[in-house]
Amino acid sequence: MLVDLIHEHCPSAGAVVVEVGAYRGDTSAHVHQYCPGVDRIYAVDMREPEPERNCIANLERVTFLLGDSAARAGDFADASIDLVFVDADHAEASVRKDLEAWAPKVKPGGVISGHDYASRRHPGVKPAVDRFFAGHPHPLKLEANRVWWTIK
């Protein structure tokens, strides 16, 4: 689904994508493989991937950023990202904090997206996303595998 969002809503060359909550980097590696038009992929997480499970080691277009997800948003200028995928700490307050930090970093017309919407395992995601986007001019769309997204 994320690959489709990138192909449909990001520039065909030079796009910047951020995965917030990268874990092993599976998603960033997938974007790297299937989205050659993405110029730079930033994978943000509190922990570095274990060497034997690191999916993004040695991928030339992927940069790993270690640290608090909301704090790392400060590394980016406002309106500098084409797509952000929020999938870090799933507690309601943490999701809200990530959205508040990362949404300004997305370009107008870019995509704000995430994972685990309406998941029983992660009940904080849905209320945080719903409250953050209440009154947002673009509809919140839901896709397979509990992926949510909207246009900024």
Side-chain angles (χ1 to χ4, degrees), residues 19-23 44-47 67-70 85-91 94-95 97-99 102 113-116 122 125 148:
E19 177 188 11
V20 178
Y23 185 47
V44 180
D45 206 285
M46 290 287 293
R47 295 177 304 271
D68 176 76
S69 53
F85 185 73
V86 177
D87 192 22
D89 185 334
H90 290 69
S94 296
V95 175
K97 186 176 174 185
D98 281 337
L99 291 172
W102 287 99
S113 60
H115 192 229
D116 294 312
H122 305 293
V125 174
W148 60 267

Coordinates of all heavy atoms in Angstrom, one line a residue, residues 19-23 44-47 67-70 85-91 94-95 97-99 102 113-116 122 125 148:
E19 N 10.1 7.1 7.4 CA 9.4 6.0 8.2 C 9.7 6.3 9.6 O 10.8 6.2 10.1 CB 9.9 4.6 7.8 CG 9.3 3.5 8.6 CD 9.9 2.2 8.4 OE1 11.0 2.0 7.7 OE2 9.3 1.2 8.9
V20 N 8.6 6.6 10.4 CA 8.7 6.9 11.8 C 8.4 5.7 12.6 O 7.2 5.2 12.6 CB 7.8 8.1 12.2 CG1 7.9 8.4 13.7 CG2 8.1 9.3 11.4
G21 N 9.4 5.1 13.2 CA 9.2 3.8 13.9 C 9.6 2.7 13.0 O 8.9 1.8 12.5
A22 N 10.9 2.7 12.6 CA 11.4 1.8 11.6 C 11.7 0.4 12.1 O 11.7 -0.6 11.2 CB 12.7 2.4 11.1
Y23 N 11.9 0.1 13.3 CA 12.2 -1.2 13.9 C 13.4 -1.8 13.1 O 14.5 -1.3 13.2 CB 11.0 -2.1 13.9 CG 11.2 -3.4 14.5 CD1 11.8 -3.6 15.8 CD2 10.8 -4.6 13.9 CE1 12.0 -4.8 16.4 CE2 10.9 -5.8 14.5 CZ 11.6 -5.9 15.8 OH 11.8 -7.1 16.3
V44 N 13.5 6.2 11.1 CA 13.7 6.8 12.5 C 13.2 5.7 13.5 O 12.1 5.2 13.4 CB 12.8 8.1 12.7 CG1 13.0 8.6 14.1 CG2 13.1 9.1 11.6
D45 N 14.1 5.5 14.5 CA 13.7 4.6 15.6 C 14.5 4.9 16.9 O 15.6 5.5 16.8 CB 13.8 3.2 15.2 CG 12.9 2.2 16.0 OD1 13.1 2.0 17.2 OD2 11.9 1.8 15.4
M46 N 14.0 4.5 18.0 CA 14.6 4.6 19.3 C 15.8 3.7 19.4 O 16.7 3.9 20.3 CB 13.6 4.4 20.4 CG 12.6 5.4 20.6 SD 13.2 7.0 21.3 CE 13.6 6.4 22.9
R47 N 15.8 2.6 18.7 CA 16.8 1.6 18.8 C 17.4 1.3 17.4 O 16.6 1.2 16.4 CB 16.3 0.2 19.4 CG 15.8 0.3 20.8 CD 15.2 -1.0 21.3 NE 14.1 -1.5 20.4 CZ 12.8 -1.1 20.6 NH1 12.5 -0.4 21.6 NH2 11.9 -1.6 19.8
G67 N 16.8 7.9 17.7 CA 16.3 8.8 18.7 C 14.8 8.9 18.8 O 14.1 8.1 18.1
D68 N 14.3 9.7 19.7 CA 12.9 9.9 19.9 C 12.3 10.4 18.6 O 12.8 11.3 18.0 CB 12.7 10.9 21.0 CG 11.3 11.3 21.2 OD1 10.5 10.5 21.8 OD2 10.9 12.4 20.7
S69 N 11.2 9.8 18.2 CA 10.6 10.1 16.9 C 10.2 11.5 16.7 O 10.5 12.2 15.8 CB 9.5 9.1 16.6 OG 8.5 9.1 17.6
A70 N 9.5 12.0 17.7 CA 9.0 13.4 17.6 C 10.2 14.4 17.7 O 10.2 15.4 16.9 CB 8.1 13.7 18.8
F85 N 5.3 8.2 7.2 CA 4.6 7.0 7.6 C 4.9 6.8 9.1 O 6.0 6.5 9.5 CB 5.1 5.8 6.8 CG 4.3 4.5 7.1 CD1 3.0 4.4 6.6 CD2 4.9 3.5 7.8 CE1 2.3 3.2 6.8 CE2 4.2 2.3 8.1 CZ 2.9 2.2 7.6
V86 N 3.8 7.1 9.9 CA 3.9 7.1 11.4 C 3.6 5.7 11.9 O 2.4 5.2 11.8 CB 3.0 8.1 12.0 CG1 3.0 8.1 13.5 CG2 3.4 9.5 11.5
D87 N 4.6 5.0 12.5 CA 4.4 3.7 13.0 C 5.3 3.4 14.2 O 5.9 2.4 14.3 CB 4.6 2.6 11.9 CG 4.1 1.2 12.2 OD1 3.3 1.1 13.1 OD2 4.6 0.3 11.6
A88 N 5.4 4.4 15.1 CA 6.3 4.3 16.2 C 5.5 3.8 17.4 O 4.7 2.9 17.4 CB 7.1 5.6 16.5
D89 N 5.7 4.5 18.6 CA 5.0 4.2 19.8 C 3.5 4.3 19.5 O 3.1 5.4 19.0 CB 5.5 5.1 20.9 CG 4.9 4.7 22.3 OD1 3.8 4.2 22.3 OD2 5.5 5.1 23.3
H90 N 2.7 3.3 19.8 CA 1.3 3.3 19.5 C 0.4 3.8 20.6 O -0.8 3.8 20.4 CB 0.9 1.9 19.1 CG 1.5 1.5 17.8 ND1 2.8 1.2 17.6 CD2 0.9 1.2 16.6 CE1 3.1 0.8 16.4 NE2 1.9 0.8 15.7
A91 N 0.9 4.3 21.7 CA 0.1 4.9 22.7 C -0.5 6.2 22.1 O 0.1 6.9 21.3 CB 0.9 5.3 23.9
S94 N 1.5 9.4 22.4 CA 2.7 9.3 21.5 C 2.4 9.5 20.0 O 3.1 10.2 19.3 CB 3.4 7.9 21.7 OG 3.9 7.8 23.0
V95 N 1.3 8.9 19.6 CA 0.8 9.1 18.2 C 0.5 10.6 18.0 O 0.9 11.1 17.0 CB -0.4 8.2 17.9 CG1 -0.9 8.5 16.5 CG2 0.0 6.7 18.0
K97 N 1.7 13.1 19.6 CA 3.0 13.9 19.6 C 3.7 13.7 18.3 O 4.2 14.7 17.7 CB 3.8 13.3 20.7 CG 5.1 14.1 21.0 CD 5.8 13.5 22.2 CE 7.2 14.2 22.4 NZ 7.9 13.6 23.5
D98 N 3.7 12.5 17.7 CA 4.4 12.3 16.4 C 3.6 13.1 15.3 O 4.3 13.7 14.5 CB 4.4 10.8 16.1 CG 5.5 10.1 16.8 OD1 6.5 10.7 17.2 OD2 5.4 8.8 16.9
L99 N 2.3 13.0 15.3 CA 1.6 13.8 14.3 C 1.8 15.3 14.4 O 2.0 15.9 13.4 CB 0.1 13.4 14.4 CG -0.3 12.0 14.0 CD1 -1.8 11.8 14.3 CD2 -0.1 11.8 12.5
W102 N 5.5 15.8 13.1 CA 5.8 15.4 11.7 C 4.9 16.1 10.6 O 5.4 16.3 9.5 CB 5.9 13.9 11.5 CG 7.1 13.3 12.1 CD1 7.1 12.7 13.4 CD2 8.4 13.3 11.6 NE1 8.4 12.3 13.6 CE2 9.2 12.6 12.6 CE3 9.0 13.7 10.4 CZ2 10.6 12.4 12.4 CZ3 10.3 13.5 10.2 CH2 11.1 12.9 11.2
S113 N 0.7 9.5 6.6 CA 0.1 8.2 6.7 C 0.6 7.5 7.9 O 1.5 8.0 8.6 CB 0.5 7.4 5.4 OG 1.9 7.3 5.3
G114 N 0.1 6.3 8.2 CA 0.5 5.5 9.3 C -0.1 4.1 9.3 O -0.8 3.7 8.4
H115 N 0.1 3.4 10.4 CA -0.2 2.0 10.5 C -1.0 1.8 11.8 O -1.0 2.5 12.7 CB 1.1 1.2 10.5 CG 0.9 -0.2 10.3 ND1 1.5 -1.2 11.1 CD2 0.1 -0.9 9.4 CE1 1.1 -2.4 10.7 NE2 0.3 -2.3 9.6
D116 N -1.7 0.7 11.8 CA -2.4 0.1 13.0 C -3.6 0.9 13.4 O -4.0 0.9 14.5 CB -1.4 0.0 14.2 CG -0.4 -1.1 13.9 OD1 -0.7 -2.2 13.4 OD2 0.8 -0.8 14.1
H122 N -3.4 -2.1 19.4 CA -2.9 -0.7 19.5 C -4.1 0.3 19.5 O -4.3 1.0 18.6 CB -2.0 -0.4 18.4 CG -0.8 -1.3 18.2 ND1 0.1 -1.4 19.2 CD2 -0.5 -2.2 17.3 CE1 1.0 -2.3 18.8 NE2 0.6 -2.9 17.7
V125 N -4.1 4.4 18.5 CA -3.8 5.0 17.2 C -5.1 5.6 16.7 O -5.0 6.8 16.3 CB -3.3 3.9 16.2 CG1 -3.2 4.5 14.8 CG2 -1.9 3.4 16.7
W148 N -3.7 4.0 7.3 CA -4.5 5.2 7.1 C -3.6 6.2 6.4 O -2.4 6.2 6.5 CB -5.0 5.7 8.5 CG -3.9 6.1 9.4 CD1 -3.3 5.2 10.4 CD2 -3.2 7.3 9.5 NE1 -2.3 5.9 11.0 CE2 -2.2 7.2 10.5 CE3 -3.3 8.5 8.8 CZ2 -1.3 8.2 10.8 CZ3 -2.4 9.5 9.1 CH2 -1.5 9.4 10.1

